[in-house]
């Protein structure tokens, strides 16, 4: 996702000419670039930690009302179940031409089948459906949150003292499950730390994390855990339909091989300089063919096509509505003060404006990418 979007776009707009605005920093942000470059040196230190890995007992809690006690506004429920694009300004969430107020500043956000889950500037994680008051469901890193979602599940990192803990909310039921899995005390939770403990993606009922063992697929409902690759030297951008969009670093050459497959080092090679988001069926990958060159890749063939919207100096795409439709932002210079358009695009076709002039970079528009829009 695209943490630090607002700050990075301000910086690029202030320091570079307009045509040189850096798509890479917006689509994935500086943290993810640091992760790509630094994971090559992680290696044995994290792998050795497997021997001392300990897991905290799994804990449940009911974070939201359930059954008849949980009222749902049908118009918002329909919009969320249809995956209609969402954005936020301040404390106001916009979806399907309507708004609802969550009573506190939205700092980062993801969209589920049921509503939105967001963080405030203090790092509290909130669940909101547009009906009733938002409910606090956890906490995470205040300045560098990372929320990941699929369907009604949302996952993030927490701390119990020095111990990393993975938290998963099922927004449809309100249950939260927590476990440290194979993370060990002292592991970091930022992408540029040497030994990170991360939540990478949610795919159906599985949460994909990095712990001391490497890449792990965890089913919170059954506590089943599958190790999909050893620790060190990789980054994961998304997982859909059991397919992992990932890069494997090669320290000897300084290069990275990008693949889409069922485990680290497996699957089809995709000529992506960087990846971002897989379509729900895992066929298409939003990414970059070269730095600042947005593209849509066919993960089954490795072919690509440009993904830039006509009529804009710059465009960035960050998520999928369905198997062949994706969403993004269309922007024109001066980037920090010109209103942004929300776009819907089809693979192999053009883009249409679905919400015009939703705000400016200076306004602090928040899109559902799960990471912070400010530093």
């Amino acid at each position: 996702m695209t943490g630090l979007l607002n700050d990075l776009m301000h910086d690029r707009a202030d320091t570079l000419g307009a045509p040189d605005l850096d798509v890479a920093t917006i689509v994935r942000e500086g943290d993810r670039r640091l992760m790509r470059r630094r994971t090559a040196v992680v290696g044995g230190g994290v792998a050795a930690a497997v021997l001392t890995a300990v897991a905290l007992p799994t804990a449940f809690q009911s974070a939201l009302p359930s059954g008849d006690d949980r009222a749902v506004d049908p118009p918002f429920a329909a919009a969320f179940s249809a995956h209609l694009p969402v954005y936020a300004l301040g404390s106001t969430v916009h979806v399907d031409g309507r708004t609802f107020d969550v009573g506190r500043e939205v700092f980062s956000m993801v969209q589920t089948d049921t509503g939105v889950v967001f963080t405030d500037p203090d790092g509290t994680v909130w669940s909101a459906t547009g009906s009733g008051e938002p409910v606090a469901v956890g906490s995470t890193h205040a300045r560098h949150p990372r929320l990941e979602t699929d369907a009604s599940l949302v996952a993030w990192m927490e701390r119990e003292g020095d111990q990393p803990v993975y938290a998963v909310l099922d927004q449809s039921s309100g249950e939260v499950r927590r476990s440290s899995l194979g993370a060990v005390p002292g592991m970091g939770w930022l992408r540029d730390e040497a030994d990170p403990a991360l939540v990478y993606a949610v795919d159906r009922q599985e949460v994909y994390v990095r712990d001391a063992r490497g890449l792990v697929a965890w089913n919170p409902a059954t506590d089943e855990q599958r190790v999909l690759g050893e620790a060190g030297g990789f980054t994961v951008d998304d997982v859909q339909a059991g397919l992992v969009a990932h890069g494997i670093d090669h320290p000897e050459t300084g290069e990275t091989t990008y693949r889409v497959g069922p485990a680290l080092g497996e699957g089809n090679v995709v000529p992506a300089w960087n990846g971002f988001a897989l379509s729900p069926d895992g066929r298409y990958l939003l990414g970059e063919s070269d730095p600042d060159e947005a593209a849509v890749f066919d993960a089954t063939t490795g072919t690509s096509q440009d993904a830039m919207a006509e009529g804009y100096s710059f465009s960035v795409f960050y998520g999928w509505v369905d198997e062949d439709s994706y969403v993004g932002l269309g922007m024109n210079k001066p980037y920090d003060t010109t209103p942004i358009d929300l776009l819907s695009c089809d693979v192999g076709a053009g883009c249409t404006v679905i919400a015009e002039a939703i705000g400016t970079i200076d306004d602090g528009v928040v899109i559902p990418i799960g990471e912070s829009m400010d530093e």
Side-chain angles (χ1 to χ4, degrees):
M1 302 301 174
T2 62
L4 311 182
L5 180 64
N6 195 22
D7 181 68
L8 289 165
M9 292 175 70
H10 270 301
D11 181 67
R12 301 300 288 185
D14 290 341
T15 60
L16 297 180
D20 295 328
L21 187 66
D22 189 355
V23 179
T25 54
I26 296 174
V27 176
R28 297 156 286 73
E29 47 65 53
D31 283 344
R32 193 167 294 247
R33 285 194 178 189
L34 287 169
M35 182 66 178
R36 174 67 53 82
R37 291 173 180 153
R38 297 182 187 182
T39 47
V41 301
V42 174
V46 176
V50 175
L51 298 177
T52 59
V54 293
L56 296 179
T58 300
F60 290 90
Q61 70 181 41
S62 179
L64 298 176
S66 60
D68 294 337
D69 295 330
R70 182 162 52 92
V72 176
D73 184 338
F76 286 122
F80 287 126
S81 65
H83 308 131
L84 299 184
V86 172
Y87 66 95
L89 277 171
S91 63
T92 304
V93 176
H94 299 247
V95 59
D96 195 25
R98 304 180 61 203
T99 65
F100 61 91
D101 195 280
V102 296
R104 52 200 48 81
E105 180 184 347
V106 177
F107 188 65
S108 69
M109 176 178 66
V110 290
Q111 176 181 357
T112 76
D113 292 348
T114 307
V116 295
V117 175
F118 67 94
T119 68
D120 64 21
D122 294 328
T124 302
V125 183
W126 298 86
S127 174
T129 64
S131 180
E133 292 295 320
V135 177
V137 294
S139 63
T140 191
H141 197 290
R143 305 309 299 173
H144 302 287
R146 179 168 182 158
L147 308 176
E148 296 292 344
T149 186
D150 191 32
S152 64
L153 297 186
V154 180
W156 63 91
M157 284 292 304
E158 295 187 346
R159 286 279 194 186
E160 290 188 4
D162 198 32
Q163 176 68 59
V165 177
Y166 306 94
V168 183
L169 164 71
D170 185 339
Q171 196 178 33
S172 66
S173 68
E175 290 185 320
V176 179
R177 172 172 281 191
R178 292 176 168 87
S179 175
S180 69
L181 301 177
V184 298
M187 290 185 72
W189 62 0
L190 296 181
R191 286 160 292 287
D192 58 346
E193 291 178 331
D195 296 333
L198 298 175
V199 174
Y200 283 119
V202 180
D203 177 33
R204 301 170 183 172
Q205 297 301 309
E206 288 190 310
V207 180
Y208 288 74
V209 308
R210 178 197 288 265
D211 67 12
R213 295 168 291 179
L215 178 63
V216 178
W218 170 45
N219 186 321
T222 64
D223 204 36
E224 179 183 359
Q225 301 167 34
R226 298 183 294 120
V227 178
L228 303 178
E230 295 182 356
F234 72 89
T235 189
V236 173
D237 292 308
D238 199 12
V239 183
Q240 289 292 321
L243 298 175
V244 183
H246 65 283
I248 299 292
D249 295 323
H250 304 287
E252 65 279 5
T253 64
E255 298 180 349
T256 298
T257 300
Y258 206 94
R259 291 180 181 270
V260 177
L264 295 184
E266 297 181 9
N268 297 325
V269 174
V270 176
W273 181 81
N274 190 60
F276 178 43
L278 283 168
S279 59
D281 59 2
R283 176 178 178 181
Y284 295 112
L285 172 71
L286 289 175
E288 295 171 309
S289 55
D290 287 296
D292 302 350
E293 296 293 334
V296 177
F297 298 88
D298 188 322
T300 63
T301 65
T303 59
S304 66
Q305 54 187 280
D306 292 338
M308 299 299 290
E310 294 184 6
Y312 298 95
S313 303
F314 174 70
S315 52
V316 57
F317 304 101
Y318 58 84
W320 294 84
V321 176
D322 55 35
E323 282 75 7
D324 54 13
S325 299
Y326 53 95
V327 294
L329 304 176
M331 293 170 281
N332 284 309
K333 56 187 179 180
Y335 295 109
D336 52 354
T337 58
T338 302
I340 297 167
D341 290 343
L342 184 62
L343 307 177
S344 176
C345 311
D346 294 323
V347 175
C351 298
T352 59
V353 177
I354 55 176
E356 187 175 5
I358 64 174
T360 70
I361 296 172
D362 283 350
D363 292 333
V365 174
V366 178
I367 53 178
I369 55 176
E371 298 190 37
S372 62
M373 304 288 287
D374 198 1
E375 184 176 14

